[in-house]
Amino acid sequence: MEAEASTFETCEMLATFLASTPLLSDSWKLCSRANATAPQGFVANQVEDVCYVAFSGVQAVTGWDPGCRDFVPLDTSDNGLFSAWRRQGEEEEPVMVHAGFLHMFLSTFHTASFQTQIFEIMKRSKSVVFTGHSIGAPIASLSALWFLSHFQSISSSPSVICITFGSPLFGNKSLSRAILQERWGGNFWHVVARHDIVPRLLFAPLTPHLHFLLQLWHLCMPSPYLIEPAVQLHEHQTSELFRFVSAHVEATSREEGAVRPLFCPFGNFMFCTNEGAVCVDNETVVVKLLHVMFVLGSAGSSIIDHFNYGDYVGKVSLQFLSTSGFMEGDLPESSYEAGVELALQSSEIPNHVIHNDSLFQFQKSKPTAAMRLRVAVIQNVVSGLVKDCLKMAKRMGRTPNLNSAGVAIALSKITPLRAQIEWYKASCDESDDQMGYYDSFKQRGASKRGFKINMNRIKLAQFWDDLIGMLETDQLPHDFHKRAKYVNASQFYKLLVEPLDIAEYYRSGMHRVKGHYIKHGREKRYEIFDKWWGAKKVGDEESNKRSTFASLTQDSCFWARLEEAREWLEIVRTEGDTRKLCMLWENIDKFVQYARRMVEEKEVSIDVLARNSSYSLWIEELKELRLHLQQFPPSFPTLLDGRVVP
């Protein structure tokens, strides 16, 4: 038996808990009402201090083909409506969404009725539930995303949850990652019927098929009493569509194909069956369950299930009152295995009769013993696949947190290395040579102390590079970079150690080989730490002016900028081209203004102002050069202009 660190399997328990609340039933009732009475719109209902907003699954498709699969960046839509989702660097893939679904959301968003509803929510509600069925579901999700991103900085804003039914996928991998990084994964719950084709539809290129289905939705969804929508489809059409989608979902679940899928699930998925429900939030496991449950259905059930959410919600809502158990003697050995078995029961796999036409049709012929045996074997295989999915979800969900604990231990172990560098800086600042921290390390000799500090610098760099590698390969929680402990630790490391990296870069002459540090030598980790710190919310105490000099210079690239300014000053002495001289003096003047501001605002450490520091010596050289130019002006009158040579 597989050893588990956690003693409980929670996917079935979580689904049962959600079903025990009125959220599911109230949301579906309002969705049904929106489908029947508010085509291309939404309806709202206030239940005490909770406001439900349901978007109709009947939307206009004239002139727009959702099957085109066109992606558009979310952050550039509608004059920055989602500007908070702007990517931080060119190397990052932008958050992209389906152009058609975004267009439908924007059409609704700009209506007077929607704006009025948002105003009422902010005034009267403590919580808001955005919900929608079918193609109304992406509108609900985008509304929740907008609400979360727009009002997240307001402490008194209502809490938000989004519950969708039969929602098609509409965003890329970057959207899923961004939602996890913002810690909003728990705000989204997608209810999926076991065989519903719509949540699987956009795994395949389905332009004609999707348009055909949308026309069917228009006919069916306004009628809450519709029982057999599939009768309006020809059997060969449904069979062809089912096989086509099934093949693409299978390829995606196995990560096959030359091109990775455009669309990626996000949030929590609640898979509903006649026996209960299970909840998973790992995107890989979601895709695998979308495949396993879908192939156990049939062409007809894949259409019918899209209209059966009322039945599923009713059964699931009552399921928590019933008791699930095991036959005597079948009780699993651990609570974890018991949880897996309960989740397997809720997935309805053990008792599922396979309806796939390519296997058997019990309706047309009496099954033989061999046929029953083959069905039993297939069901055991599928049950094993589902068990593997559930265990994978547990394992993949737990591993990042375990790794995070390991990183915390590793961070505590490298703290003495950082402390030794702090002691080294203090001793340099107090040294009689008055060179300061940066210059002492840059001009160090073959001393034991200098060697040890350099090794500490290398070991700290390795720790942070390993951490970033784990984060980029999803081995750490997606919100790891927002945790104050690591944001502050990385910022302190950057301010303390990057000056040493700059000193070593220029000491070894790498600037002559690769170019100056900022553009050609700066390590990726420092750019990442800049983003982490830039995204940190600044408190009042951090925005106040300093009364004393900082313990560490607040621009970790200060010395790299000085090294460039030193080169400019050397070139000025020999440059004869007037245009180039003007540019050099402009650059020097900009650096002088930058450095003066840093000193005046006390954003530098005292080592910058040490008598024999590179900065102090450079200032003296600049004064001498300007005095020399005033006493012995060159033959270029423009150089005497105070704007160029102050």
Side-chain angles (χ1 to χ4, degrees):
M1 182 182 67
E2 180 181 353
E4 293 292 334
S6 172
T7 56
F8 293 99
E9 162 53 43
T10 59
C11 63
E12 189 268 344
M13 296 170 59
L14 186 59
T16 300
F17 171 75
L18 182 62
S20 69
T21 72
L23 285 171
L24 279 183
S25 57
D26 287 354
S27 296
W28 174 250
K29 288 176 184 177
L30 203 61
C31 283
S32 300
R33 181 176 149 197
N35 289 343
T37 64
Q40 304 180 39
F42 67 92
V43 295
N45 184 38
Q46 189 77 28
V47 180
E48 296 181 352
D49 55 3
V50 179
C51 181
Y52 289 80
V53 181
F55 296 88
S56 174
V58 183
Q59 297 289 334
V61 295
T62 304
W64 170 67
D65 181 9
C68 64
R69 296 160 63 89
D70 283 345
F71 266 136
V72 293
L74 186 61
D75 63 322
T76 59
S77 63
D78 203 63
N79 297 321
L81 191 62
F82 289 94
S83 58
W85 295 81
R86 186 168 291 112
R87 58 179 171 175
Q88 299 296 320
E90 291 298 324
E91 72 282 357
E92 296 182 9
E93 183 182 6
V95 173
M96 308 281 280
V97 296
H98 191 287
F101 294 134
L102 180 61
H103 172 76
M104 288 193 299
F105 162 74
L106 294 176
S107 298
T108 301
F109 178 84
H110 289 297
T111 60
S113 57
F114 185 82
Q115 295 297 322
T116 301
Q117 186 62 56
I118 294 298
F119 176 78
E120 290 297 322
I121 289 173
M122 296 299 296
K123 184 173 66 173
R124 301 172 50 192
S125 304
K126 293 183 179 179
S127 302
V128 57
V129 179
F130 291 105
T131 185
H133 173 226
S134 191
I135 57 177
I139 305 177
S141 295
L142 287 168
S143 298
L145 282 175
W146 170 79
F147 199 96
L148 286 167
S149 58
H150 189 70
F151 295 109
Q152 63 176 331
S153 60
I154 303 177
S155 58
S156 60
S157 62
S159 59
V160 180
I161 190 171
C162 177
I163 300 177
T164 69
F165 301 90
S167 174
L169 303 179
F170 68 90
N172 65 349
K173 172 78 173 180
S174 292
L175 175 64
S176 174
R177 181 182 294 273
I179 288 173
L180 288 171
Q181 290 176 346
E182 293 292 339
R183 304 172 181 171
W184 293 342
N187 296 79
F188 293 89
W189 293 84
H190 306 290
V191 182
V192 177
R194 54 181 180 168
H195 301 150
D196 184 3
I197 194 172
V198 174
R200 289 97 169 171
L201 207 55
L202 290 183
F203 283 122
L206 299 171
T207 299
H209 299 87
L210 183 53
H211 190 72
F212 175 73
L213 284 176
L214 287 174
Q215 292 176 334
L216 174 68
W217 299 166
H218 273 266
L219 294 173
C220 297
M221 282 192 290
S223 173
Y225 306 105
L226 187 64
I227 304 298
E228 294 289 343
V231 299
Q232 301 185 36
L233 294 174
H234 295 294
E235 184 176 352
H236 75 277
Q237 291 175 315
T238 57
S239 298
E240 178 186 357
L241 180 62
F242 179 79
R243 288 193 295 269
F244 190 56
V245 173
S246 179
H248 281 82
V249 176
E250 181 178 7
T252 303
S253 70
R254 295 181 178 180
E255 299 181 350
E256 296 175 350
V259 182
R260 70 175 184 174
L262 295 176
F263 298 93
C264 182
F266 65 87
N268 299 270
F269 277 69
M270 182 175 182
F271 291 90
C272 295
T273 71
N274 291 320
E275 298 295 329
V278 293
C279 288
V280 292
D281 61 359
N282 180 273
E283 61 190 50
T284 302
V285 178
V286 167
V287 173
K288 289 185 179 296
L289 286 178
L290 284 171
H291 165 240
V292 171
M293 289 192 173
F294 189 61
V295 297
L296 291 178
S298 64
S301 66
S302 69
I303 304 298
I304 294 174
D305 259 12
H306 190 61
F307 299 89
N308 279 353
Y309 281 94
D311 292 340
Y312 283 119
V313 169
K315 291 175 182 177
V316 170
S317 296
L318 293 175
Q319 189 255 356
F320 81 97
L321 295 174
S322 63
T323 57
S324 298
F326 305 94
M327 298 295 293
E328 185 176 355
D330 293 335
L331 186 66
E333 297 180 11
S334 70
S335 57
Y336 173 78
E337 290 293 338
V340 171
E341 290 296 333
L342 288 174
L344 191 61
Q345 288 182 19
S346 295
S347 71
E348 205 179 3
I349 298 298
N351 301 322
H352 188 80
V353 178
I354 299 179
H355 292 293
N356 193 315
D357 294 340
S358 63
L359 294 174
F360 306 107
Q361 286 196 2
F362 290 108
Q363 300 91 338
K364 294 183 179 180
S365 61
K366 185 177 180 181
T368 64
M371 293 169 64
R372 291 183 182 277
L373 178 61
R374 187 179 176 190
V375 169
V377 171
I378 293 175
Q379 288 179 331
N380 285 336
V381 171
V382 175
S383 296
L385 291 174
V386 174
K387 276 188 177 182
D388 290 343
C389 286
L390 297 174
K391 291 182 178 181
M392 181 189 297
K394 186 70 176 179
R395 186 167 55 252
M396 295 179 72
R398 185 180 71 248
T399 299
N401 290 325
L402 292 177
N403 289 340
S404 179
V407 168
I409 295 172
L411 179 63
S412 66
K413 291 182 178 179
I414 65 166
T415 299
L417 304 181
R418 192 184 69 184
Q420 290 170 11
I421 296 179
E422 290 182 70
W423 296 332
Y424 174 79
K425 180 183 184 303
S427 65
C428 290
D429 292 345
E430 297 172 359
S431 175
D432 294 336
D433 59 22
Q434 297 190 39
M435 293 173 61
Y437 176 51
Y438 173 79
D439 290 285
S440 294
F441 187 76
K442 183 181 176 183
Q443 300 178 34
R444 71 187 186 277
S447 65
K448 183 177 179 180
R449 185 178 71 160
F451 175 80
K452 186 173 183 179
I453 294 302
N454 191 44
M455 290 303 300
N456 287 359
R457 177 183 69 88
I458 295 172
K459 291 177 181 178
L460 288 172
Q462 187 61 55
F463 166 80
W464 288 105
D465 285 343
D466 290 345
L467 183 150
I468 291 170
M470 294 176 67
L471 187 60
E472 291 180 339
T473 54
D474 297 329
Q475 298 180 56
L476 293 172
H478 290 280
D479 64 347
F480 186 87
H481 66 291
K482 291 180 175 290
R483 299 182 179 181
K485 176 178 181 177
Y486 297 101
V487 173
N488 294 331
S490 64
Q491 176 70 1
F492 188 83
Y493 159 76
K494 182 186 71 172
L495 298 182
L496 178 68
V497 178
E498 189 168 15
L500 301 184
D501 286 0
I502 297 169
E504 185 63 24
Y505 188 83
Y506 285 94
R507 169 189 167 90
S508 61
M510 289 302 297
H511 62 293
R512 300 188 185 95
V513 179
K514 299 171 62 175
H516 281 291
Y517 175 85
I518 294 178
K519 288 187 178 180
H520 304 287
R522 198 177 192 217
E523 295 291 343
K524 178 183 176 181
R525 59 179 174 273
Y526 295 125
E527 297 175 356
I528 292 174
F529 297 157
D530 285 341
K531 296 175 185 177
W532 291 6
W533 187 255
K536 179 177 179 288
K537 292 181 174 62
V538 179
D540 293 337
E541 69 283 357
E542 296 180 59
S543 60
N544 293 335
K545 290 185 177 181
R546 296 180 182 273
S547 57
T548 58
F549 285 106
S551 59
L552 295 169
T553 300
Q554 297 302 292
D555 180 1
S556 59
C557 288
F558 176 88
W559 295 105
R561 303 185 200 282
L562 174 64
E563 293 288 355
E564 292 188 39
R566 291 179 64 185
E567 183 178 271
W568 297 333
L569 201 58
E570 289 297 322
I571 296 174
V572 161
R573 299 178 187 276
T574 58
E575 182 60 56
D577 187 299
T578 305
R579 183 178 59 84
K580 291 182 179 179
L581 277 172
C582 289
M583 292 179 61
L584 287 168
W585 278 113
E586 287 177 2
N587 290 337
I588 290 172
D589 189 51
K590 288 179 181 178
F591 175 77
V592 169
Q593 294 178 24
Y594 151 80
R596 181 183 296 128
R597 177 183 58 79
M598 292 283 290
V599 172
E600 290 176 351
E601 295 179 1
K602 293 183 170 56
E603 293 289 298
V604 297
S605 172
I606 56 173
D607 66 304
V608 171
L609 303 177
R611 187 179 63 187
N612 295 320
S613 72
S614 293
Y615 174 72
S616 297
L617 296 177
W618 183 83
I619 290 294
E620 291 300 321
E621 290 179 21
L622 178 61
K623 290 179 180 178
E624 291 176 4
L625 179 59
R626 283 176 171 166
L627 181 61
H628 177 76
L629 290 174
Q630 289 175 359
Q631 293 176 349
F632 305 98
S635 56
F636 305 104
T638 54
L639 290 179
L640 295 177
D641 188 342
R643 292 173 297 174
V644 179
V645 186

